[in-house]
Amino acid sequence: MKRALVIGYGSIGKRHADILSKFKKFDEIFILTTQKQKKYKSISDVEEIKYINPSYIVIASTTNKHFKYLHYCEKNLSGKIILVEKPVFNKIQEFNINNNIV
C-alpha cells in the first residue's frame, strides 16, 4: 500500500495534500497536524510516522520545525522520498542524508 504524508497543514501543506490526492498514486494520504480536518487521515504525533510507513513525505511545517522532522525521518525510516519546503532550515545545520532521498 502506497502512503503519502504531509507534515504541517497550513496553506502550503493543504496544497501539497490536494495535489497528491489528484495524482492517484497513493492509496492513503496522512496529515501530521493538530488541526481538525476531515479530508485526509490525521496523525498528531511524530512517533506515528514509522507506523504508517509512508513512501513519500512532504515537510511543510513551520521552518523552525523542518530540522526536527527531517532528523526524525532520517533516523527512523529508509528508502523514502522526502520533499522539504523552502527554506529548508531557519539556521545553518550540519546534516547528512544517508537513508532517504531528500
Side-chain angles (χ1 to χ4, degrees), residues 41-81:
K41 294 183 178 192
S42 288
I43 60 173
S44 59
D45 187 274
V46 69
E47 290 294 324
E48 295 176 76
I49 294 173
K50 60 187 167 191
Y51 300 114
I52 65 169
N53 194 27
S55 57
Y56 185 79
I57 301 165
V58 176
I59 299 177
S61 60
T62 56
T63 305
N64 65 329
K65 294 180 182 175
H66 286 184
F67 181 81
K68 169 185 141 180
Y69 292 126
L70 185 56
H71 182 265
Y72 177 87
C73 291
E74 181 63 15
K75 183 178 174 186
N76 293 284
L77 305 170
S78 65
K80 309 305 178 188
I81 298 171

Side-chain angles (χ1 to χ4, degrees), residues 13 31-33 35 41 46 64 67 72-73 94 96 102:
I31 309 294
L32 173 60
T33 184
Q35 294 182 42
K41 294 183 178 192
V46 69
N64 65 329
F67 181 81
Y72 177 87
C73 291
E94 177 113 6
N96 294 318
V102 178

Side-chain angles (χ1 to χ4, degrees), residues 27-44:
D27 300 308
E28 296 178 304
I29 297 172
F30 289 82
I31 309 294
L32 173 60
T33 184
T34 56
Q35 294 182 42
K36 300 291 183 202
Q37 60 83 33
K38 295 181 180 174
K39 197 169 183 180
Y40 305 101
K41 294 183 178 192
S42 288
I43 60 173
S44 59

